[in-house]
Amino acid sequence: MQKSKKIIIVHGYMDMGGVEKALLALLDALEFTEFSVKLLLLRPGGKLFNDIPNWVEVEALKEYEEWSFLLSEPPLKTAIKLLREGKFSQSFRAIIRALRIKFSKQDLWHLNFKAFLNQVKNSYEADIAISFRGLDMIIPYFVSKKIRASKKLIWFHGDIKHHISPNHKFAHQLYSEFERIYGVSEDVEESIISMFPNLKDKVEVFRNIVPVDRIKKLAAQGESFNDDFSGFRLLTVGRLDPLKGQDRIPEIVKMLKDKGYNFKWYLVGDGDLENDIKEQINKLGIEDYLILLGNKMNPYPFIKNCDIYVVPSRTEGASIVMHEVKILEKPIITTSVASANLFVRDEVDGFIVSNNVEGILNGIKKLLDDPMLIQKFSFFSNLEKNNSFKDVGKLSNLLNT
């Protein structure tokens, strides 16, 4: 098929995460359109890098590795670093940047981003340019300044209130340059509007596209549990991160163990909390109850074969994994994060519990005390037709207007 138009999508890194899975699904949906697609990454690699479709042109920003320190380090520290490296002109510009911040109160982020882009040689052209990670502000800034396109779009995958407020003026100016601003759920949409009410007319929900057939196919193949355990299997998949709440799990496991429940709780994923969780496991003596499985390229057989899926997150946007769990017909216990109601009907196909240790513990106990309730929730999960598929039709309208 001859591709007559071009899309450039800018993203950071293809790590194992929900945003990256959503990006891959979007690429799959774009394959049979009239658009050719270039995926421009800040840096190459990542566990999902090889999952990028072959028909997509991929380019990694070669300047990022050398100059990314400009994005985060104070200008004076940058000036000293460059001076030691013999980069005198760049050092001088860093000193000027520091003086501008000190005496003119110019925004640090803006000046740092501008300094970084000065090192990027290439500029780009496309019919549509997409910043797929709006919270990582260098990405929309790059789209704004380095890509000439008739239409620019930006995606947000989580509540922005915890990320944007220190740079509110700069962020407002930057996001106003985009024709459409997409939040992946109503809660994300509301958070954008609450921060930037003047941009309300640009904001819209665009739910993540989830490849149902692919997930079901992957769930039927590959590695799964191999410990011959006959009790209840609890599962949580995701980056081990404070926002995801896995640091609360060891305490819950200890209380369930002390009450005599026959269960194991498995964690799929890695991240910053891994060592902390291991220390808690050893300290609490729960090595046989809380099992760290590490990262899995295909987590779906584990989801398919678990009894209860638990989301202990402190915050979520529109959880990709909850959608995947629903496809595989498993009951979900989730904290009352944003968009939990999008995936779980409380007491019909899962529990939405208080966002604390006690709430998660009580939800799990209810299911472990009543195995028939697990079957009921699985049955109604199968019947439930999730409305997050309805926005797929927006894709063609988006591309052709």
Side-chain angles (χ1 to χ4, degrees), residues 11-17 20-21 23-24 27 39-61 214 297:
H11 188 61
Y13 179 66
M14 292 303 294
D15 204 359
M16 178 70 76
E20 288 70 31
K21 289 182 180 180
L23 174 55
L24 292 172
L27 293 174
L39 178 59
L40 185 58
L41 299 172
L42 294 187
R43 55 193 178 110
K47 295 180 178 68
L48 293 179
F49 184 81
N50 291 331
D51 287 6
I52 299 171
N54 292 331
W55 63 271
V56 175
E57 180 187 358
V58 182
E59 178 181 338
L61 201 62
R214 180 174 179 271
M297 288 301 296

mmCIF file of all heavy atoms in Angstrom, residues 11-17 20-21 23-24 27 39-61 214 297:
data_model
loop_
_atom_site.group_PDB
_atom_site.id
_atom_site.type_symbol
_atom_site.label_atom_id
_atom_site.label_comp_id
_atom_site.label_asym_id
_atom_site.label_seq_id
_atom_site.Cartn_x
_atom_site.Cartn_y
_atom_site.Cartn_z
ATOM 1 N N HIS A 11 8.847 9.664 21.310
ATOM 2 C CA HIS A 11 8.736 8.990 22.617
ATOM 3 C C HIS A 11 10.134 8.883 23.211
ATOM 4 O O HIS A 11 11.129 9.168 22.547
ATOM 5 C CB HIS A 11 8.095 7.608 22.442
ATOM 6 C CG HIS A 11 7.762 6.913 23.723
ATOM 7 N ND1 HIS A 11 6.885 7.434 24.641
ATOM 8 C CD2 HIS A 11 8.215 5.738 24.256
ATOM 9 C CE1 HIS A 11 6.787 6.608 25.670
ATOM 10 N NE2 HIS A 11 7.594 5.586 25.460
ATOM 11 N N GLY A 12 10.202 8.456 24.470
ATOM 12 C CA GLY A 12 11.481 8.420 25.156
ATOM 13 C C GLY A 12 12.274 7.150 24.940
ATOM 14 O O GLY A 12 13.338 7.151 24.322
ATOM 15 N N TYR A 13 11.726 6.014 25.409
ATOM 16 C CA TYR A 13 12.496 4.787 25.508
ATOM 17 C C TYR A 13 11.508 3.638 25.583
ATOM 18 O O TYR A 13 10.477 3.747 26.246
ATOM 19 C CB TYR A 13 13.355 4.869 26.782
ATOM 20 C CG TYR A 13 14.227 3.689 27.088
ATOM 21 C CD1 TYR A 13 15.292 3.358 26.267
ATOM 22 C CD2 TYR A 13 14.020 2.924 28.238
ATOM 23 C CE1 TYR A 13 16.128 2.290 26.572
ATOM 24 C CE2 TYR A 13 14.844 1.853 28.565
ATOM 25 C CZ TYR A 13 15.903 1.544 27.725
ATOM 26 O OH TYR A 13 16.721 0.498 28.039
ATOM 27 N N MET A 14 11.801 2.521 24.912
ATOM 28 C CA MET A 14 10.843 1.430 24.820
ATOM 29 C C MET A 14 11.016 0.435 25.966
ATOM 30 O O MET A 14 11.323 -0.736 25.769
ATOM 31 C CB MET A 14 10.980 0.729 23.468
ATOM 32 C CG MET A 14 10.553 1.593 22.305
ATOM 33 S SD MET A 14 8.842 2.183 22.436
ATOM 34 C CE MET A 14 7.924 0.650 22.296
ATOM 35 N N ASP A 15 10.793 0.915 27.177
ATOM 36 C CA ASP A 15 10.890 0.054 28.345
ATOM 37 C C ASP A 15 9.624 -0.797 28.454
ATOM 38 O O ASP A 15 8.668 -0.632 27.701
ATOM 39 C CB ASP A 15 11.070 0.906 29.602
ATOM 40 C CG ASP A 15 11.737 0.148 30.727
ATOM 41 O OD1 ASP A 15 12.039 -1.045 30.531
ATOM 42 O OD2 ASP A 15 11.963 0.735 31.790
ATOM 43 N N MET A 16 9.626 -1.732 29.410
ATOM 44 C CA MET A 16 8.459 -2.585 29.637
ATOM 45 C C MET A 16 7.462 -1.824 30.506
ATOM 46 O O MET A 16 7.535 -1.832 31.736
ATOM 47 C CB MET A 16 8.883 -3.880 30.342
ATOM 48 C CG MET A 16 7.731 -4.824 30.658
ATOM 49 S SD MET A 16 7.015 -5.587 29.206
ATOM 50 C CE MET A 16 8.265 -6.814 28.821
ATOM 51 N N GLY A 17 6.529 -1.118 29.873
ATOM 52 C CA GLY A 17 5.560 -0.325 30.605
ATOM 53 C C GLY A 17 4.260 -0.207 29.858
ATOM 54 O O GLY A 17 4.165 -0.501 28.657
ATOM 55 N N GLU A 20 4.312 2.181 26.811
ATOM 56 C CA GLU A 20 4.965 1.583 25.640
ATOM 57 C C GLU A 20 4.062 0.540 24.974
ATOM 58 O O GLU A 20 4.029 0.444 23.738
ATOM 59 C CB GLU A 20 6.296 0.958 26.055
ATOM 60 C CG GLU A 20 7.386 1.970 26.384
ATOM 61 C CD GLU A 20 7.144 2.737 27.675
ATOM 62 O OE1 GLU A 20 6.511 2.157 28.609
ATOM 63 O OE2 GLU A 20 7.562 3.906 27.770
ATOM 64 N N LYS A 21 3.322 -0.216 25.777
ATOM 65 C CA LYS A 21 2.362 -1.163 25.187
ATOM 66 C C LYS A 21 1.283 -0.422 24.415
ATOM 67 O O LYS A 21 0.854 -0.868 23.340
ATOM 68 C CB LYS A 21 1.732 -2.019 26.291
ATOM 69 C CG LYS A 21 2.673 -3.043 26.906
ATOM 70 C CD LYS A 21 1.929 -3.867 27.952
ATOM 71 C CE LYS A 21 2.827 -4.906 28.594
ATOM 72 N NZ LYS A 21 2.098 -5.705 29.607
ATOM 73 N N LEU A 23 1.637 2.439 22.966
ATOM 74 C CA LEU A 23 2.271 2.930 21.744
ATOM 75 C C LEU A 23 2.346 1.839 20.694
ATOM 76 O O LEU A 23 2.042 2.074 19.511
ATOM 77 C CB LEU A 23 3.666 3.456 22.082
ATOM 78 C CG LEU A 23 4.547 3.894 20.907
ATOM 79 C CD1 LEU A 23 3.844 4.932 20.041
ATOM 80 C CD2 LEU A 23 5.885 4.433 21.424
ATOM 81 N N LEU A 24 2.738 0.638 21.094
ATOM 82 C CA LEU A 24 2.805 -0.473 20.135
ATOM 83 C C LEU A 24 1.432 -0.772 19.542
ATOM 84 O O LEU A 24 1.310 -1.056 18.337
ATOM 85 C CB LEU A 24 3.375 -1.721 20.814
ATOM 86 C CG LEU A 24 4.853 -1.652 21.210
ATOM 87 C CD1 LEU A 24 5.234 -2.880 22.044
ATOM 88 C CD2 LEU A 24 5.751 -1.533 19.985
ATOM 89 N N LEU A 27 0.655 1.821 16.962
ATOM 90 C CA LEU A 27 1.393 1.546 15.723
ATOM 91 C C LEU A 27 0.705 0.447 14.919
ATOM 92 O O LEU A 27 0.585 0.550 13.691
ATOM 93 C CB LEU A 27 2.834 1.152 16.045
ATOM 94 C CG LEU A 27 3.722 2.244 16.641
ATOM 95 C CD1 LEU A 27 5.073 1.670 17.049
ATOM 96 C CD2 LEU A 27 3.906 3.402 15.670
ATOM 97 N N LEU A 39 9.048 6.569 14.101
ATOM 98 C CA LEU A 39 9.087 6.621 15.560
ATOM 99 C C LEU A 39 10.443 7.188 15.964
ATOM 100 O O LEU A 39 11.480 6.573 15.718
ATOM 101 C CB LEU A 39 8.887 5.231 16.160
ATOM 102 C CG LEU A 39 8.955 5.129 17.685
ATOM 103 C CD1 LEU A 39 7.905 6.011 18.351
ATOM 104 C CD2 LEU A 39 8.809 3.685 18.142
ATOM 105 N N LEU A 40 10.407 8.363 16.545
ATOM 106 C CA LEU A 40 11.631 9.045 16.952
ATOM 107 C C LEU A 40 11.787 8.897 18.463
ATOM 108 O O LEU A 40 10.986 9.419 19.234
ATOM 109 C CB LEU A 40 11.565 10.518 16.555
ATOM 110 C CG LEU A 40 12.807 11.369 16.786
ATOM 111 C CD1 LEU A 40 14.002 10.799 16.041
ATOM 112 C CD2 LEU A 40 12.552 12.798 16.335
ATOM 113 N N LEU A 41 12.814 8.163 18.891
ATOM 114 C CA LEU A 41 13.054 7.894 20.296
ATOM 115 C C LEU A 41 14.208 8.753 20.806
ATOM 116 O O LEU A 41 15.182 8.994 20.086
ATOM 117 C CB LEU A 41 13.396 6.414 20.506
ATOM 118 C CG LEU A 41 12.319 5.401 20.086
ATOM 119 C CD1 LEU A 41 12.881 3.988 20.167
ATOM 120 C CD2 LEU A 41 11.080 5.542 20.973
ATOM 121 N N LEU A 42 14.107 9.183 22.062
ATOM 122 C CA LEU A 42 15.223 9.917 22.643
ATOM 123 C C LEU A 42 16.447 9.022 22.747
ATOM 124 O O LEU A 42 17.576 9.475 22.556
ATOM 125 C CB LEU A 42 14.854 10.452 24.026
ATOM 126 C CG LEU A 42 13.751 11.519 24.083
ATOM 127 C CD1 LEU A 42 13.619 12.057 25.499
ATOM 128 C CD2 LEU A 42 14.032 12.659 23.110
ATOM 129 N N ARG A 43 16.235 7.760 23.079
ATOM 130 C CA ARG A 43 17.355 6.826 23.125
ATOM 131 C C ARG A 43 16.889 5.448 22.685
ATOM 132 O O ARG A 43 15.722 5.081 22.867
ATOM 133 C CB ARG A 43 17.989 6.767 24.514
ATOM 134 C CG ARG A 43 17.067 6.447 25.650
ATOM 135 C CD ARG A 43 17.733 6.741 26.989
ATOM 136 N NE ARG A 43 16.851 6.486 28.109
ATOM 137 C CZ ARG A 43 17.001 5.490 28.974
ATOM 138 N NH1 ARG A 43 17.994 4.636 28.829
ATOM 139 N NH2 ARG A 43 16.172 5.335 29.992
ATOM 140 N N PRO A 44 17.773 4.660 22.088
ATOM 141 C CA PRO A 44 17.379 3.348 21.570
ATOM 142 C C PRO A 44 17.298 2.315 22.689
ATOM 143 O O PRO A 44 17.677 2.560 23.826
ATOM 144 C CB PRO A 44 18.527 3.009 20.610
ATOM 145 C CG PRO A 44 19.715 3.690 21.225
ATOM 146 C CD PRO A 44 19.180 4.969 21.831
ATOM 147 N N GLY A 45 16.794 1.134 22.333
ATOM 148 C CA GLY A 45 16.782 0.023 23.267
ATOM 149 C C GLY A 45 15.544 -0.018 24.128
ATOM 150 O O GLY A 45 14.548 0.663 23.891
ATOM 151 N N GLY A 46 15.606 -0.859 25.161
ATOM 152 C CA GLY A 46 14.456 -1.105 26.015
ATOM 153 C C GLY A 46 13.898 -2.492 25.736
ATOM 154 O O GLY A 46 14.060 -3.047 24.650
ATOM 155 N N LYS A 47 13.217 -3.041 26.713
ATOM 156 C CA LYS A 47 12.740 -4.426 26.606
ATOM 157 C C LYS A 47 11.708 -4.619 25.495
ATOM 158 O O LYS A 47 11.516 -5.727 25.000
ATOM 159 C CB LYS A 47 12.171 -4.867 27.955
ATOM 160 C CG LYS A 47 13.219 -4.935 29.065
ATOM 161 C CD LYS A 47 12.612 -5.375 30.385
ATOM 162 C CE LYS A 47 13.691 -5.495 31.465
ATOM 163 N NZ LYS A 47 14.245 -4.187 31.845
ATOM 164 N N LEU A 48 11.021 -3.541 25.098
ATOM 165 C CA LEU A 48 10.005 -3.657 24.031
ATOM 166 C C LEU A 48 10.494 -3.088 22.698
ATOM 167 O O LEU A 48 9.709 -2.989 21.759
ATOM 168 C CB LEU A 48 8.719 -2.944 24.465
ATOM 169 C CG LEU A 48 7.969 -3.570 25.638
ATOM 170 C CD1 LEU A 48 6.727 -2.759 25.989
ATOM 171 C CD2 LEU A 48 7.566 -5.014 25.319
ATOM 172 N N PHE A 49 11.774 -2.750 22.632
ATOM 173 C CA PHE A 49 12.294 -2.146 21.396
ATOM 174 C C PHE A 49 12.119 -3.083 20.204
ATOM 175 O O PHE A 49 11.731 -2.657 19.109
ATOM 176 C CB PHE A 49 13.774 -1.787 21.581
ATOM 177 C CG PHE A 49 14.390 -1.079 20.406
ATOM 178 C CD1 PHE A 49 14.197 0.282 20.223
ATOM 179 C CD2 PHE A 49 15.152 -1.772 19.478
ATOM 180 C CE1 PHE A 49 14.753 0.947 19.140
ATOM 181 C CE2 PHE A 49 15.712 -1.123 18.388
ATOM 182 C CZ PHE A 49 15.516 0.247 18.218
ATOM 183 N N ASN A 50 12.382 -4.371 20.402
ATOM 184 C CA ASN A 50 12.282 -5.328 19.297
ATOM 185 C C ASN A 50 10.843 -5.644 18.908
ATOM 186 O O ASN A 50 10.612 -6.333 17.907
ATOM 187 C CB ASN A 50 13.016 -6.622 19.648
ATOM 188 C CG ASN A 50 14.526 -6.429 19.710
ATOM 189 O OD1 ASN A 50 15.079 -5.573 19.023
ATOM 190 N ND2 ASN A 50 15.198 -7.215 20.543
ATOM 191 N N ASP A 51 9.873 -5.168 19.696
ATOM 192 C CA ASP A 51 8.464 -5.373 19.360
ATOM 193 C C ASP A 51 7.923 -4.288 18.428
ATOM 194 O O ASP A 51 6.775 -4.372 17.983
ATOM 195 C CB ASP A 51 7.612 -5.395 20.632
ATOM 196 C CG ASP A 51 7.791 -6.680 21.429
ATOM 197 O OD1 ASP A 51 8.660 -7.493 21.061
ATOM 198 O OD2 ASP A 51 7.073 -6.875 22.426
ATOM 199 N N ILE A 52 8.726 -3.282 18.136
ATOM 200 C CA ILE A 52 8.292 -2.254 17.194
ATOM 201 C C ILE A 52 8.090 -2.902 15.828
ATOM 202 O O ILE A 52 8.972 -3.618 15.339
ATOM 203 C CB ILE A 52 9.334 -1.128 17.091
ATOM 204 C CG1 ILE A 52 9.529 -0.447 18.451
ATOM 205 C CG2 ILE A 52 8.907 -0.088 16.053
ATOM 206 C CD1 ILE A 52 10.694 0.525 18.490
ATOM 207 N N PRO A 53 6.940 -2.706 15.175
ATOM 208 C CA PRO A 53 6.693 -3.352 13.881
ATOM 209 C C PRO A 53 7.765 -2.998 12.840
ATOM 210 O O PRO A 53 8.293 -1.884 12.827
ATOM 211 C CB PRO A 53 5.323 -2.789 13.464
ATOM 212 C CG PRO A 53 4.671 -2.372 14.743
ATOM 213 C CD PRO A 53 5.785 -1.906 15.635
ATOM 214 N N ASN A 54 8.066 -3.971 11.995
ATOM 215 C CA ASN A 54 9.131 -3.793 11.009
ATOM 216 C C ASN A 54 8.844 -2.679 10.017
ATOM 217 O O ASN A 54 9.774 -2.079 9.457
ATOM 218 C CB ASN A 54 9.365 -5.111 10.249
ATOM 219 C CG ASN A 54 9.950 -6.185 11.128
ATOM 220 O OD1 ASN A 54 10.663 -5.890 12.083
ATOM 221 N ND2 ASN A 54 9.644 -7.444 10.838
ATOM 222 N N TRP A 55 7.564 -2.393 9.774
ATOM 223 C CA TRP A 55 7.231 -1.393 8.756
ATOM 224 C C TRP A 55 7.420 0.035 9.272
ATOM 225 O O TRP A 55 7.403 0.993 8.485
ATOM 226 C CB TRP A 55 5.784 -1.576 8.285
ATOM 227 C CG TRP A 55 4.755 -1.366 9.347
ATOM 228 C CD1 TRP A 55 4.259 -2.298 10.195
ATOM 229 C CD2 TRP A 55 4.099 -0.141 9.690
ATOM 230 N NE1 TRP A 55 3.343 -1.740 11.053
ATOM 231 C CE2 TRP A 55 3.224 -0.414 10.763
ATOM 232 C CE3 TRP A 55 4.160 1.158 9.195
ATOM 233 C CZ2 TRP A 55 2.426 0.557 11.341
ATOM 234 C CZ3 TRP A 55 3.374 2.128 9.776
ATOM 235 C CH2 TRP A 55 2.523 1.834 10.830
ATOM 236 N N VAL A 56 7.641 0.193 10.567
ATOM 237 C CA VAL A 56 7.829 1.519 11.160
ATOM 238 C C VAL A 56 9.297 1.927 11.038
ATOM 239 O O VAL A 56 10.204 1.162 11.383
ATOM 240 C CB VAL A 56 7.415 1.516 12.643
ATOM 241 C CG1 VAL A 56 7.721 2.869 13.295
ATOM 242 C CG2 VAL A 56 5.935 1.178 12.783
ATOM 243 N N GLU A 57 9.539 3.127 10.546
ATOM 244 C CA GLU A 57 10.894 3.675 10.516
ATOM 245 C C GLU A 57 11.259 4.153 11.920
ATOM 246 O O GLU A 57 10.516 4.920 12.524
ATOM 247 C CB GLU A 57 10.970 4.845 9.532
ATOM 248 C CG GLU A 57 12.351 5.479 9.451
ATOM 249 C CD GLU A 57 12.371 6.744 8.587
ATOM 250 O OE1 GLU A 57 11.307 7.082 8.024
ATOM 251 O OE2 GLU A 57 13.437 7.369 8.508
ATOM 252 N N VAL A 58 12.376 3.686 12.434
ATOM 253 C CA VAL A 58 12.790 4.022 13.799
ATOM 254 C C VAL A 58 14.093 4.825 13.755
ATOM 255 O O VAL A 58 15.036 4.452 13.060
ATOM 256 C CB VAL A 58 12.993 2.760 14.654
ATOM 257 C CG1 VAL A 58 13.388 3.146 16.083
ATOM 258 C CG2 VAL A 58 11.729 1.910 14.668
ATOM 259 N N GLU A 59 14.107 5.907 14.497
ATOM 260 C CA GLU A 59 15.322 6.711 14.620
ATOM 261 C C GLU A 59 15.511 7.085 16.089
ATOM 262 O O GLU A 59 14.566 7.510 16.753
ATOM 263 C CB GLU A 59 15.223 7.988 13.766
ATOM 264 C CG GLU A 59 16.443 8.892 13.892
ATOM 265 C CD GLU A 59 16.326 10.157 13.054
ATOM 266 O OE1 GLU A 59 15.546 10.158 12.076
ATOM 267 O OE2 GLU A 59 16.994 11.159 13.395
ATOM 268 N N ALA A 60 16.734 6.912 16.574
ATOM 269 C CA ALA A 60 17.074 7.336 17.929
ATOM 270 C C ALA A 60 17.865 8.639 17.843
ATOM 271 O O ALA A 60 18.703 8.814 16.965
ATOM 272 C CB ALA A 60 17.888 6.271 18.645
ATOM 273 N N LEU A 61 17.560 9.538 18.735
ATOM 274 C CA LEU A 61 18.193 10.853 18.734
ATOM 275 C C LEU A 61 19.640 10.708 19.208
ATOM 276 O O LEU A 61 19.900 10.526 20.403
ATOM 277 C CB LEU A 61 17.408 11.786 19.650
ATOM 278 C CG LEU A 61 17.568 13.289 19.441
ATOM 279 C CD1 LEU A 61 17.106 13.704 18.062
ATOM 280 C CD2 LEU A 61 16.779 14.040 20.502
ATOM 281 N N ARG A 214 -4.400 -10.488 20.133
ATOM 282 C CA ARG A 214 -2.976 -10.742 20.402
ATOM 283 C C ARG A 214 -2.773 -11.155 21.862
ATOM 284 O O ARG A 214 -1.988 -12.069 22.145
ATOM 285 C CB ARG A 214 -2.159 -9.492 20.083
ATOM 286 C CG ARG A 214 -0.663 -9.633 20.333
ATOM 287 C CD ARG A 214 0.085 -8.391 19.845
ATOM 288 N NE ARG A 214 1.503 -8.508 20.088
ATOM 289 C CZ ARG A 214 2.106 -8.113 21.206
ATOM 290 N NH1 ARG A 214 1.388 -7.567 22.179
ATOM 291 N NH2 ARG A 214 3.412 -8.257 21.355
ATOM 292 N N MET A 297 8.732 -10.998 29.392
ATOM 293 C CA MET A 297 8.331 -10.409 28.119
ATOM 294 C C MET A 297 6.880 -10.744 27.792
ATOM 295 O O MET A 297 6.180 -9.974 27.147
ATOM 296 C CB MET A 297 9.252 -10.905 26.999
ATOM 297 C CG MET A 297 10.654 -10.319 27.037
ATOM 298 S SD MET A 297 10.654 -8.508 26.932
ATOM 299 C CE MET A 297 9.976 -8.264 25.293
#
